[in-house]
Amino acid sequence: MEIDSSNQEKSTGSGGGIKAIPRKFKAKVVEIVVKTKKIGQDDPRRVAHSAKVGLALTLVSFLYYFRPLYDGFGQAGMWAILTVVVVFEYTVGGTLSKCINRGFATLLAGALGIAAEYLATLCGEKGEPVLLGILVFILATTSTFMRFFPNIKRRYDYGVLIFILTFSLVAVSGYRVSQIIQLAHQRLSTILIGAATCIVISICICPVWAGQDLHNLAATNIEKLASFLEGFGDEFFSFLGDEGSVVASKDDKFFLQGYKSVLNAKATEESLANFAWWEPAHGCFKFHHPWKQYLKTGVLARECACHIEALTSYINSRPQVPSEFYRNIHQPCVKMSLESSKALKDLAGAIKNLTHPCEAETHVKNSKAAANELKSILENSSLLAIQDDVQEIVPALVVASILINIINCIEKISDSIHELSEKSHFKNANSPEKQQQKQLLHRGIVKPINIDANCNHVAIEIHGKIEDNSSVQATNKGEAVHM
């Protein structure tokens, strides 16, 4: 009976496993659909790019579908299809980079391959393969070594690779093919047709500009740094429980993780800057837009993110019970963090709006003033340091030191973005305060007219047109007398 029961359980289990296959398959299909939907929603341009690639392949396939075109190009029409597959990139700059590299490399390598074949035929039947082998070795070795040069590696690596491939194919195949010129002409023509198709579709239909993506990425990365600093001060001193202090809940602390993407943005920035260099003028970006300046700003942003990463390790190192020392440094540290955040937000807004930063310098000065205030407190806190626990004081001192380094880094970022705005000829944007000052100057002239020797009385006279046709005299006590 035991054997029968065990056999029955095995049969039931295997049957259950077979019956579960449709359910698992359905769950897998649903999972794939959800992921596909999410990828499309994250960036709808991906859907458009996929359709553009399909359209390009369909168009170049007509070289095979229509008999007149097939008679003109023959089997070489396949090179147009291969060209579309390998050169059509997500961004316009990436597509242009590969198309131009492939076109010039194919043209140059084809010409040299035909010339090499002509020279080889002069050496006779026995000397032809020897000379061709030597030429292939020399050009392939030289071209491969050139790929190690940084500038060539960054912009022309794909072209050099195609040059090696094309020259070798033309030189080698020319030894067995009599109509070498016709073969080279057909391949070059179909490659140019495929590349031209990719360029036209990439630029004319829902273009994705690498320069615009790089511009937006720079602004987004700086905003992420600003978001961290905006909430860090209250987060680190949350145990003080000050009135008016906004402490984020556990679910709202995503700002503490946003800076991590800035640390990993180097490869993306360099790739986008390289592709943007190939792109024509578009939108607000001219042909000679200073894309390298974005890389400089990105380096400084990652340096700031490194300091921020050091801050995160001290968030949970604060004591449970606040000491007098923490209460003393609370306000300067929070002000340093908030002013730094405001400076970064202004810089990010300047990049987004293509304007000169107007308030960043003011916020940097305010953060420096808070840093000087903190230094003054630390210089006068020697007695407190003896009374309090050293293990509690050291983390706070390290946090203060890192915040000072962040301020210095933000000042460099500000200088870099100012340089970017000048080179790019961004427009000037006046702050609300400056606009209000201009309105006052337009309505009248504000100037002091009398200051007594003891500074006990200050008179201010407003000349010009006033709505109530009166002048105002103010004293240092905040009193106003209408004359």
Side-chain angles (χ1 to χ4, degrees), residues 313-385:
S313 59
Y314 291 94
I315 291 180
N316 297 323
S317 63
R318 57 186 184 271
Q320 296 297 327
V321 180
S323 61
E324 189 65 24
F325 178 77
Y326 272 82
R327 294 185 182 277
N328 290 336
I329 68 171
H330 169 227
Q331 291 298 333
C333 287
V334 171
K335 186 177 181 182
M336 290 165 61
S337 183
L338 288 177
E339 291 294 334
S340 298
S341 173
K342 292 178 181 178
L344 289 174
K345 284 185 176 180
D346 181 70
L347 294 173
I351 295 178
K352 279 187 173 181
N353 301 322
L354 300 173
T355 58
H356 291 280
C358 55
E359 296 297 326
E361 293 183 359
T362 302
H363 293 305
V364 171
K365 290 180 181 178
N366 293 339
S367 60
K368 285 185 175 181
N372 292 331
E373 181 183 352
L374 177 62
K375 291 179 182 178
S376 178
I377 293 175
L378 295 178
E379 290 175 355
N380 299 324
S381 300
S382 57
L383 294 178
L384 292 175

Side-chain angles (χ1 to χ4, degrees), residues 224-244:
K224 290 178 180 179
L225 301 180
S227 298
F228 179 93
L229 292 173
E230 183 180 18
F232 172 77
D234 289 331
E235 179 68 21
F236 185 75
F237 293 98
S238 59
F239 62 92
L240 293 176
D242 290 349
E243 294 182 0

Side-chain angles (χ1 to χ4, degrees), residues 194-231:
T197 303
C198 293
I199 291 175
V200 172
I201 292 178
S202 179
I203 294 178
C204 297
I205 303 177
C206 299
V208 179
W209 301 101
Q212 184 67 56
D213 285 355
L214 176 62
H215 185 84
N216 296 337
L217 179 63
T220 302
N221 286 342
I222 294 177
E223 280 185 340
K224 290 178 180 179
L225 301 180
S227 298
F228 179 93
L229 292 173
E230 183 180 18

Side-chain angles (χ1 to χ4, degrees), residues 223-232 235 247-262 308 312 315 345:
E223 280 185 340
K224 290 178 180 179
L225 301 180
S227 298
F228 179 93
L229 292 173
E230 183 180 18
F232 172 77
E235 179 68 21
V247 181
S249 63
K250 291 183 179 180
D251 296 333
D252 297 332
K253 292 181 181 179
F254 59 91
F255 66 88
L256 296 176
Q257 307 295 329
Y259 75 93
K260 292 183 177 180
S261 62
V262 182
I308 286 177
T312 57
I315 291 180
K345 284 185 176 180

Side-chain angles (χ1 to χ4, degrees), residues 246-298:
V246 179
V247 181
S249 63
K250 291 183 179 180
D251 296 333
D252 297 332
K253 292 181 181 179
F254 59 91
F255 66 88
L256 296 176
Q257 307 295 329
Y259 75 93
K260 292 183 177 180
S261 62
V262 182
L263 295 172
N264 302 322
K266 180 179 179 180
T268 303
E269 290 175 352
E270 291 180 349
S271 177
L272 290 175
N274 179 35
F275 293 151
W277 182 83
W278 291 92
E279 293 177 345
H282 57 279
C284 300
F285 307 106
K286 298 181 180 180
F287 183 73
H288 295 291
H289 194 76
W291 301 115
K292 288 184 178 180
Q293 192 65 30
Y294 289 92
L295 298 180
K296 180 179 178 181
T297 303

